[in-house]
Amino acid sequence: MSQYVESEKVELKVKYTDTICKEIVAFLNADGGQIIIGVRDDGDIVGVEKIDETLKKISDVITMQIEPNPQEEIRTELKFDSGKTLIILYVSKGTRNIYCQKKYGFSSSGCSIRIGTTCKEMTAEQIRVRYEKNFYDEEYMVKKRASRSDLTFRELKIYYAEKGFHVDDSSLEANFNLRNKDGEYNLLAELLADKNNIPFNFVKFNGEDKAAISERNDYGYGCILSVYEKIKSRLSAENICISDTTTRPRKDRYLFDYDAVNEAVLNALVHNDWTITEPQISVFSNRMEIISHGGLPRGMTVDDFYEGISHPRNSTLMRVFLNMGLTEHTGHGVPTIINKYGKEAFEITESYIKCKIPFDKKVLEMRQKNVGLNVGLNVGLNKTEKAVLGLLIETPDRTADEMASVVGVTKRTIERTFVSLQKKGKIERLGSKRDGMWVVIK
């Protein structure tokens, strides 16, 4: 009887094939095992002929085709038996909760597991549970203590209610993983809270460098979802459009590609290392720069980044944006930007990632001449509507009384202005009449 028999812990291969990647992943996701190359399924020894070539292929699989990188969990050995050379891969149980074939990502096609003598695809639910646990165990955002303890989450609950989620007050903190092991609010909780100590700067400069600031706005100190909404509204207002009315249909040309910039902002929010500092948006005379801190997430290469392989630094924060439908695991954001502006739009270092969006030169030229401009959100609005819209962009949680005091009109006028702006498609109501708030839309 042959000493080589396939089992839950042993995979026999007569020669190297591309399926070895799937088989390694399956052992990593299970309890480990051995892959023996040079042996038939019936245990007959045939050996490996092109040893160096096969070892190189195996090395490429281990170092380039599996995520997270499993080099520490795999050992390769040459064994001589019956005058022939065998290659044995000793695969330990993975130290991370889930592994995948990089080209398929964390999908059923990419995530296999060893069951008996075969490799089975993991279910979507198995992948979700393992994937989230993989980051919950180690993510700094869950471990780091918040800078304040008086946190509330009214806005977060409103956002989830608007998406059809039922959020139970008694289980909210547990469901969102808002406390660390010591029972203190964590950094994730602070980012999601109604009020916090975290700024988010939007700075405009005169010219092409930072020699002179023309405007500085801080949209932070609140729930990160509201911060994103305010930034999105500001970007819409900044995105000047020129219209060619000499042709039919009319042709519009914008200062920048809104979708690409939106993706850059989302990436900055979700992938930023918040232990360093907050992201920042800088607007110059010829471009916009969105910077996030921390460089590439651990285990990600520059090629991975450009290809759009999803590898979130802040998985728990990513889950919130996923639930809101604001982002997804497909990693299409970076390819969207590259498709419009090329790889040169990115500057990647060990400490930060900067996305540089050049402005349309024709729009800049027309802006200087002040010809045919459609200036974003303010088109077709009266003076009071413009003032109210500006206040909503700055601080969406202002009351009608507060706005009335700032604008210099009555509360009733502000309430009528809300209705007018809603009819014009400039704002929408988030939440109930009593507990909700007005949000500027594109």
Side-chain angles (χ1 to χ4, degrees):
M1 180 177 177
S2 171
Q3 61 174 313
Y4 300 108
V5 179
E6 279 200 338
S7 67
E8 189 173 10
K9 291 279 193 176
V10 178
E11 172 72 17
L12 302 179
K13 296 183 71 66
V14 65
K15 62 180 180 179
Y16 172 90
T17 65
D18 291 338
T19 61
I20 198 169
C21 183
K22 180 178 181 179
E23 290 151 357
I24 292 173
V25 169
F27 278 130
L28 288 166
N29 284 330
D31 292 320
Q34 300 176 28
I35 300 175
I36 305 175
I37 305 174
V39 181
R40 299 184 189 277
D41 289 345
D42 61 4
D44 183 33
I45 299 171
V46 297
V48 178
E49 294 183 359
K50 299 179 179 179
I51 296 173
D52 289 339
E53 180 180 327
T54 303
L55 288 172
K56 184 180 184 306
K57 289 181 178 179
I58 292 171
S59 176
D60 288 343
V61 168
I62 295 171
T63 58
M64 301 173 63
Q65 297 182 32
I66 299 174
E67 185 181 20
N69 191 303
Q71 286 179 265
E72 298 298 320
E73 283 77 50
I74 301 173
R75 178 171 59 88
T76 304
E77 180 182 287
L78 296 180
K79 181 177 180 180
F80 301 93
D81 195 335
S82 304
K84 296 177 181 178
T85 303
L86 307 179
I87 297 176
I88 303 178
L89 274 67
Y90 295 94
V91 184
S92 301
K93 179 179 179 179
T95 57
R96 304 295 291 270
N97 288 294
I98 189 166
Y99 293 78
C100 72
Q101 297 180 70
K102 190 177 289 187
K103 66 179 179 179
Y104 298 120
F106 292 100
S107 64
S108 292
S109 298
C111 300
S112 53
I113 188 168
R114 185 79 172 185
I115 299 178
T117 60
T118 60
C119 298
K120 298 289 187 181
E121 291 185 351
M122 298 175 70
T123 66
E125 181 65 11
Q126 285 176 312
I127 295 169
R128 184 187 67 80
V129 171
R130 284 199 180 207
Y131 184 85
E132 292 182 354
K133 185 179 178 182
N134 199 34
F135 289 91
Y136 289 160
D137 288 347
E138 298 182 10
E139 193 175 347
Y140 73 92
M141 192 168 278
V142 176
K143 294 181 179 180
K144 181 176 173 59
R145 184 177 64 183
S147 65
R148 54 192 293 179
S149 59
D150 59 333
L151 303 181
T152 59
F153 306 95
R154 181 181 66 88
E155 290 181 25
L156 179 65
K157 288 184 284 187
I158 290 174
Y159 278 109
Y160 268 78
E162 286 290 315
K163 290 294 182 179
F165 292 94
H166 173 70
V167 180
D168 189 342
D169 287 346
S170 62
S171 59
L172 180 141
E173 293 181 0
N175 288 342
F176 285 90
N177 217 18
L178 301 182
R179 292 186 183 269
N180 61 23
K181 292 181 179 179
D182 297 323
E184 303 163 315
Y185 280 127
N186 52 33
L187 178 56
L188 176 65
E190 187 163 13
L191 281 167
L192 295 174
D194 299 324
K195 294 182 179 180
N196 56 43
N197 296 328
I198 303 172
F200 192 103
N201 287 312
F202 185 102
V203 185
K204 296 185 73 172
F205 297 93
N206 285 323
E208 299 181 12
D209 56 32
K210 295 185 177 182
I213 295 177
S214 64
E215 182 182 346
R216 182 195 297 272
N217 296 102
D218 197 329
Y219 296 108
Y221 302 107
C223 176
I224 193 170
L225 295 174
S226 295
V227 170
Y228 169 65
E229 291 291 342
K230 288 187 282 186
I231 290 295
K232 192 167 63 168
S233 298
R234 179 58 187 265
L235 291 173
S236 294
E238 291 288 334
N239 199 15
I240 292 171
C241 171
I242 59 174
S243 302
D244 183 355
T245 58
T246 63
T247 62
R248 292 290 183 272
R250 184 185 70 183
K251 291 183 179 180
D252 294 331
R253 187 164 183 165
Y254 289 89
L255 185 64
F256 54 81
D257 185 271
Y258 182 88
D259 290 336
V261 171
N262 184 54
E263 291 295 340
V265 171
L266 282 170
N267 283 343
L269 292 171
V270 173
H271 300 297
N272 184 66
D273 186 340
W274 292 87
T275 62
I276 300 174
T277 189
E278 71 283 351
Q280 181 175 310
I281 299 176
S282 300
V283 178
F284 301 88
S285 61
N286 64 340
R287 72 191 186 281
M288 180 185 300
E289 294 183 354
I290 300 102
I291 186 169
S292 61
H293 302 276
L296 294 175
R298 185 176 61 183
M300 174 178 270
T301 67
V302 173
D303 287 340
D304 292 341
F305 177 84
Y306 287 142
E307 290 174 14
I309 293 174
S310 181
H311 194 145
R313 171 179 277 111
N314 308 313
S315 179
T316 46
L317 184 60
M318 168 73 89
R319 180 163 64 101
V320 174
F321 278 77
L322 283 169
N323 289 340
M324 293 298 99
L326 300 175
T327 187
E328 52 192 51
H329 272 312
T330 57
H332 79 286
V334 171
T336 295
I337 298 168
I338 291 175
N339 183 58
K340 182 65 180 180
Y341 295 108
K343 291 182 179 180
E344 57 270 25
F346 292 99
E347 179 183 332
I348 303 172
T349 73
E350 292 184 357
S351 58
Y352 66 83
I353 297 175
K354 182 186 294 183
C355 181
K356 295 175 286 187
I357 304 294
F359 291 153
D360 187 293
K361 293 180 179 179
K362 181 67 173 179
V363 176
L364 288 176
E365 178 184 338
M366 296 299 291
R367 180 173 65 178
Q368 292 175 350
K369 295 179 180 179
N370 198 27
V371 177
L373 293 184
N374 166 9
V375 188
L377 291 170
N378 287 332
V379 173
L381 303 184
N382 61 40
K383 182 178 178 180
T384 302
E385 288 171 335
K386 291 178 181 179
V388 170
L389 200 63
L391 290 172
L392 285 174
I393 291 174
E394 292 284 347
T395 49
D397 56 350
R398 282 182 189 263
T399 65
D401 281 328
E402 291 171 337
M403 288 193 178
S405 176
V406 174
V407 179
V409 296
T410 65
K411 177 182 177 182
R412 180 60 180 157
T413 298
I414 295 297
E415 291 172 343
R416 286 198 297 266
T417 301
F418 286 154
V419 174
S420 173
L421 288 171
Q422 186 181 34
K423 288 181 179 179
K424 292 179 179 180
K426 302 297 183 181
I427 63 174
E428 63 180 353
R429 187 71 176 176
L430 189 64
S432 67
K433 184 176 181 181
R434 183 172 66 88
D435 296 325
M437 61 182 179
W438 291 102
V439 176
V440 180
I441 61 178
K442 184 181 177 184

